[in-house]
Amino acid sequence: MSDRKSTIAFVRDHMLDQQPPPRGEVGATKWIKENLFSGWFNTILTLVSIFVIYSGLSAIIPWAFGGVWNASSLAECREILDGAHAACWAVINERWRQIFYGTFFPASEYWRTHVAFVLLLVAIAPVLFDRVPRKLLIVTAAYPFLMVWLIWGGSLWGPLAVAAGFAVVFYAAKVAGRYTGSGLSALIAVVSGLIWWFAIGPLFVWALDSIVPLFPLREIQSRELGGFVISMIIGVSGIALSLPIGIVLALGRKSDLPLVKMMCVGFIEFFRGVPLITLLFTASLLLNYFLPPSVTFDLTVRVIVMVTIFSSAYMAEVIRGGLAALPKGQYEAADALGLDYWQAQRLIIMPQALKISIPGIVNTFIGLFKDTTLVFFIGIFDMLAAAQSIRANSEWNGITWELYIFIGLIFWVCCFSMSRYSQWLEQKLRTDHR
């Protein structure tokens, strides 16, 4: 009996080779099984969805990719198609300049918009990506003035004088801060800047232009701007200006000073409760009634101001949500370090609040950029107005889908790029490492 027991092995004396997992438990097969065919109901939904997608694509793909790209009119397109149901992309090939630059922008000056767009990419690169050389921030600071000069033209002395006004504000605040409190020094700085911009600066520009104009360009009126160019001008200006204004409004709404808080709350609630189209009509029609007869206020500038104010109200609420999401311990930690209010906001509170608010901030930016199409209703010839103008032409009267699909694709590319960047930034700033 003992000999028999000794021949029984209770411990394996050699290892088995590793076997691959079943095909149905890994990779795409597993994902399809768990997400598309996990039960009878999901299986039915999957099959119905496949049928709907197939039906749509089977009609859209031949229409889109079987279209005509070379024709001078809709009638010629139809002759080439000979009754086939396909797109007439020739309208894009023929009128893309009108969609991008507008109807009235002079063709000889297209290069200025190209240079402005390239400089825009260079200017925002160091702001969006930390690996870009910091020296390019000089281009970021100079871009607003260069953009105005490139788009509207005239002598470069004008933008330089406006830039000099900010230097006047800085040095006035610095000098006044040595002898007065922060509140009074800020007031002195603002007054000094206004005096320079509206009184002294124009005299300097007039004198210098009469002596030696600096790189003069052909002047472009706002009514000549249009298409994608005007959408970019209004959108980028509104995005760049609404974020800092929204931060100030959010801090003002959480302020302990009753007057500051009441003013910020009133501003935010008023502009959030008024449709943007109403503000645009106000900028277009009513604002001139409140200005002196001799004062001319450019329509594009008025629209940028109204769009910025409207977006700032929404931005303030997004940032206030980020501030409210911070635990109280962060504020207490700033106090324990002996930081004053502005140091705490700059070094501890605001960076964390902005990180939390990234999705809401980008969502507001996307909404602002798409809302630039509303300027069509106040007589600014954006891409929608260009499409209407093209359709009103006898050569392309009757065409619809191709124009609006192309314009929609342009907006989608811009908005999708902003969305992807926000997702990348969220992943880059993650600190939980889960």
Side-chain angles (χ1 to χ4, degrees):
M1 191 72 178
S2 61
D3 293 339
R4 184 183 175 199
K5 289 183 178 179
S6 63
T7 60
I8 299 175
F10 291 95
V11 179
R12 186 183 300 276
D13 58 1
H14 66 281
M15 297 298 294
L16 296 177
D17 294 335
Q18 186 176 359
Q19 300 295 321
R23 293 183 179 179
E25 298 299 325
V26 293
T29 305
K30 180 182 178 181
W31 185 90
I32 292 173
K33 180 180 177 181
E34 292 182 350
N35 294 276
L36 300 181
F37 300 99
S38 58
W40 67 269
F41 185 69
N42 277 354
T43 301
I44 293 174
L45 288 180
T46 300
L47 295 176
V48 171
S49 300
I50 291 174
F51 174 75
V52 172
I53 293 172
Y54 172 78
S55 301
L57 293 180
S58 62
I60 293 173
I61 291 178
W63 178 84
F65 292 94
V68 176
W69 282 94
N70 294 302
S72 59
S73 66
L74 181 59
E76 185 177 346
C77 259
R78 289 171 176 170
E79 288 180 6
I80 296 173
L81 292 172
D82 193 21
H85 183 65
C88 182
W89 299 115
V91 65
I92 307 299
N93 192 26
E94 284 282 318
R95 299 300 181 98
W96 65 269
R97 294 177 181 82
Q98 194 170 343
I99 295 173
F100 278 100
Y101 306 106
T103 305
F104 307 107
F105 199 88
S108 60
E109 307 299 320
Y110 285 168
W111 67 270
R112 289 157 57 172
T113 63
H114 303 161
V115 174
F117 184 73
V118 172
L119 288 178
L120 172 63
L121 298 180
V122 176
I124 64 175
V127 178
L128 300 181
F129 305 102
D130 55 359
R131 294 186 179 181
V132 176
R134 299 292 94 186
K135 294 181 180 179
L136 289 179
L137 288 173
I138 298 174
V139 181
T140 306
Y143 179 75
F145 312 102
L146 293 175
M147 186 271 290
V148 171
W149 171 64
L150 284 169
I151 298 300
W152 277 274
S155 173
L156 190 56
W157 289 123
L160 289 178
V162 176
F166 289 97
V168 169
V169 171
F170 174 77
Y171 285 107
K174 188 175 181 180
V175 173
R178 298 176 182 175
Y179 307 101
T180 62
S182 59
L184 185 58
S185 64
L187 179 62
I188 293 174
V190 171
V191 171
S192 301
L194 293 176
I195 292 174
W196 171 266
W197 284 319
F198 291 98
I200 302 176
L203 295 177
F204 270 93
V205 172
W206 176 81
L208 292 172
D209 276 341
S210 60
I211 297 173
V212 52
L214 185 62
F215 303 117
L217 295 176
R218 173 182 171 180
E219 292 191 7
I220 302 295
Q221 303 298 323
S222 286
R223 63 177 178 270
E224 297 179 272
L225 299 176
F228 182 67
V229 171
I230 196 66
S231 297
M232 285 294 294
I233 292 173
I234 297 173
V236 172
S237 301
I239 288 172
L241 296 174
S242 63
L243 181 59
I245 296 175
I247 292 174
V248 173
L249 290 172
L251 295 175
R253 184 158 189 166
K254 293 178 66 68
S255 174
D256 295 330
L257 300 175
L259 180 59
V260 173
K261 182 175 183 178
M262 184 169 47
M263 292 174 60
C264 292
V265 170
F267 180 94
I268 293 170
E269 297 302 331
F270 174 78
F271 284 102
R272 286 177 68 212
V274 178
L276 178 58
I277 189 65
T278 303
L279 298 177
L280 294 178
F281 276 117
T282 301
S284 175
L285 303 175
L286 300 179
L287 195 59
N288 284 338
Y289 290 106
F290 300 96
L291 297 174
S294 59
V295 176
T296 57
F297 203 6
D298 188 83
L299 177 59
T300 303
V301 177
R302 281 181 272 165
V303 170
I304 291 174
V305 170
M306 286 300 181
V307 169
T308 301
I309 290 174
F310 181 82
S311 182
S312 298
Y314 284 88
M315 189 66 65
E317 288 300 281
V318 171
I319 295 172
R320 186 173 71 90
L323 293 171
L326 285 181
K328 188 177 179 181
Q330 297 296 318
Y331 295 88
E332 295 173 349
D335 295 335
L337 292 172
L339 303 178
D340 60 25
Y341 177 80
W342 292 111
Q343 288 176 331
Q345 292 294 336
R346 180 170 60 88
L347 299 175
I348 296 178
I349 306 301
M350 194 53 64
Q352 297 183 74
L354 291 177
K355 185 182 76 169
I356 296 172
S357 305
I358 286 175
I361 291 173
V362 176
N363 185 60
T364 304
F365 286 165
I366 291 174
L368 183 153
F369 186 71
K370 291 190 295 185
D371 284 343
T372 57
T373 56
L374 294 176
V375 300
F376 165 66
F377 296 101
I378 59 172
I380 294 180
F381 287 88
D382 70 325
M383 288 189 287
L384 291 182
Q388 290 291 91
S389 176
I390 294 170
R391 294 180 62 216
N393 190 286
S394 60
E395 295 178 349
W396 298 105
N397 189 10
I399 199 163
T400 302
W401 285 102
E402 293 83 350
L403 286 171
Y404 292 119
I405 288 174
F406 182 69
I407 293 171
L409 183 61
I410 293 173
F411 276 102
W412 180 83
V413 169
C414 296
C415 296
F416 183 73
S417 300
M418 287 189 277
S419 176
R420 295 301 299 175
Y421 172 77
S422 71
Q423 294 179 30
W424 173 82
L425 188 61
E426 287 181 64
Q427 293 295 325
K428 179 178 171 50
L429 298 178
R430 282 186 63 179
T431 55
D432 52 359
H433 300 293
R434 289 184 297 179

